[in-house]
Amino acid sequence: MINKHSENLLDTQLENTPGEGYIFSWFDWFCLWYPPGWLILFNRHWQHYYIDPDGWNWLEYGLFLIPGGFYLAMLIRWLRLGFRSPRKEIGEFDPKYQQAFRQEVLRAIVKYYFRGELKQVENLPQTGPLIVAMNHAGMCFPWDFLTLGYLLSEARGWVVQPVASPALFDHSWVIWWLPPKWSQVLGGVRAELDDFEAAMAKDKIILYAPEGIRGPLKGWKRRYQLEKFDVSFVKLSDRYHIPVLPVVCIGSEFLHPWAVNFQKLQRLVKLPFLPFSPFIFVLILFPSMGIWAMRTRLSYSIQPLESAELPNLNKGRTDVYRQAQKLREKLQIKINQRLCIK
């Protein structure tokens, strides 16, 4: 199924001949099966559609697959680029590339690895705009977001744009893993108020984590315990008359189980979180596994829409805060119910 050509994937921004989708080779299937190869698969897919002279090459890909080889690959690439980092290019969202990536790469991972499923689909509206608010966890690459985006796109044909930490766009480590404009082209919205509001003003379907970075930071010990919600989404929902679609995710905490966050070290390297668990020793040997996660079942329960209008005409900060925490309490009850059922 993953080998099927996607229709109408390319426009004038893409570099390959129109109509040529990405077809898995034996090497791609091997990368999908072998965890250090996931990063190779992401980069190879990108290089199929975009000219990327600063990207990884075949010699470097081969080094990804052996213990410690990533460090040598990065050194070789650094020398090849003339002792500099990859260019920090600015990319614009390309819905057609998002569709290509979704159909040609994400489909197999979501269906057969994370086994993603939507429940209570009858609560899904037919059209947007929407703020899709979900509990976010896992302390790893945001697979719970990518999986939900894929499932919503399949169910309704929506173009979904996730709000993501700025570190996923331009952190000095991340731009060595993935093309510097990869997150933007795939539709990521920086988790900054101006960018978030600009997306709201254009009537987008935005995937948002009300807990912010506090969700993944809480670690394994406080799994499925919602942290305090930010209030930005309530303000913007009211201002632009965009309803909130709450979603409960079960399974995301097992993307990187038994993890804790060392805040001092995390702040030192300026990452949003730095998980430590028994898997950290594997990650040290294979840094390319930074985008990998444990196999789990990601199950999403769609809740009824929440009104875009604040009940209090004064709409002061206290009222906005109460509205956000009211939604948090509702979602916590739903999470607890789902865990009991499970």
Side-chain angles (χ1 to χ4, degrees):
M1 186 177 294
I2 199 168
N3 285 324
K4 183 180 178 181
H5 285 214
S6 300
E7 298 179 359
N8 302 321
L9 295 178
L10 308 175
D11 59 10
T12 55
Q13 296 181 11
L14 302 183
E15 302 295 342
N16 289 284
T17 305
E20 291 185 359
Y22 187 83
I23 301 177
F24 266 39
S25 67
W26 68 267
F27 183 67
D28 295 304
W29 284 112
F30 172 77
C31 289
L32 190 62
W33 170 81
Y34 186 56
W38 283 26
L39 187 65
I40 298 175
L41 185 58
F42 280 21
N43 278 276
R44 274 175 48 80
H45 187 267
W46 172 269
Q47 290 166 345
H48 177 78
Y49 289 111
Y50 291 94
I51 293 175
D52 187 11
D54 282 5
W56 300 102
N57 62 29
W58 273 104
L59 170 62
E60 294 151 1
Y61 283 149
L63 291 171
F64 281 23
L65 304 176
I66 61 176
F70 182 85
Y71 302 104
L72 179 57
M74 192 165 67
L75 175 61
I76 293 172
R77 186 182 178 193
W78 181 65
L79 294 173
R80 175 166 58 86
L81 296 181
F83 310 101
R84 63 171 174 82
S85 298
R87 295 182 181 90
K88 294 183 180 180
E89 300 181 35
I90 302 299
E92 295 183 357
F93 174 41
D94 184 353
K96 293 189 176 182
Y97 181 73
Q98 186 194 69
Q99 181 189 8
F101 184 76
R102 188 175 71 234
Q103 295 298 321
E104 297 167 353
V105 177
L106 275 186
R107 174 181 289 181
I109 295 174
V110 169
K111 292 185 69 175
Y112 303 113
Y113 193 81
F114 295 125
R115 296 167 289 174
E117 58 178 346
L118 289 180
K119 294 180 178 294
Q120 298 172 260
V121 182
E122 64 276 7
N123 289 326
L124 273 180
Q126 293 298 321
T127 59
L130 289 171
I131 300 176
V132 182
M134 183 194 77
N135 58 302
H136 178 37
M139 209 183 285
C140 68
F141 196 74
W143 282 111
D144 49 354
F145 263 37
L146 289 177
T147 298
L148 179 57
Y150 170 84
L151 295 173
L152 292 176
S153 298
E154 290 293 291
R156 288 289 187 265
W158 292 343
V159 175
V160 181
Q161 293 187 244
V163 177
S165 168
L168 280 176
F169 295 86
D170 49 25
H171 191 277
S172 55
W173 289 9
V174 174
I175 64 172
W176 281 101
W177 278 340
L178 296 160
K181 55 184 178 179
W182 187 80
S183 296
Q184 294 97 314
V185 173
L186 275 176
V189 177
R190 296 174 71 95
E192 297 173 344
L193 184 58
D194 290 345
D195 292 56
F196 187 18
E197 185 165 9
M200 289 291 91
K202 295 178 182 178
D203 291 342
K204 302 288 187 179
I205 294 176
I206 298 297
L207 184 52
Y208 178 71
E211 298 168 276
I213 203 64
R214 290 184 297 273
L217 270 178
K218 66 178 181 286
W220 178 251
K221 187 177 180 180
R222 289 183 49 79
R223 58 191 179 277
Y224 294 120
Q225 299 301 308
L226 293 179
E227 299 295 313
K228 183 180 72 173
F229 278 14
D230 290 327
V231 299
S232 301
F233 77 105
V234 176
K235 291 180 179 179
L236 296 179
S237 171
D238 178 68
R239 180 180 303 169
Y240 294 103
H241 308 288
I242 297 176
V244 174
L245 181 68
V247 176
V248 168
C249 177
I250 301 297
S252 58
E253 300 284 5
F254 290 86
L255 291 167
H256 194 150
W258 311 301
V260 296
N261 182 64
F262 284 94
Q263 292 189 4
K264 289 184 179 179
L265 187 57
Q266 165 238 322
R267 290 168 184 164
L268 180 65
V269 297
K270 298 180 180 179
L271 282 172
F273 47 81
L274 189 61
F276 277 80
S277 76
F279 303 105
I280 193 66
F281 301 105
V282 180
L283 183 60
I284 291 172
L285 291 175
F286 294 97
S288 60
M289 289 177 62
I291 67 166
W292 181 78
M294 290 288 289
R295 189 168 186 259
T296 184
R297 183 182 296 276
L298 293 174
S299 177
Y300 302 88
S301 295
I302 311 299
Q303 306 302 309
L305 280 175
E306 293 283 328
S307 171
E309 301 293 334
L310 285 171
N312 194 316
L313 294 178
N314 294 325
K315 300 178 182 179
R317 180 171 179 81
T318 301
D319 299 308
V320 174
Y321 176 81
R322 286 175 179 169
Q323 189 76 358
Q325 302 318 310
K326 182 180 177 181
L327 177 59
R328 173 182 170 273
E329 292 169 3
K330 284 184 179 180
L331 288 185
Q332 186 66 70
I333 291 172
K334 294 296 182 182
I335 289 173
N336 294 342
Q337 290 174 347
R338 286 291 314 278
L339 292 174
C340 290
I341 294 173
K342 188 176 179 181

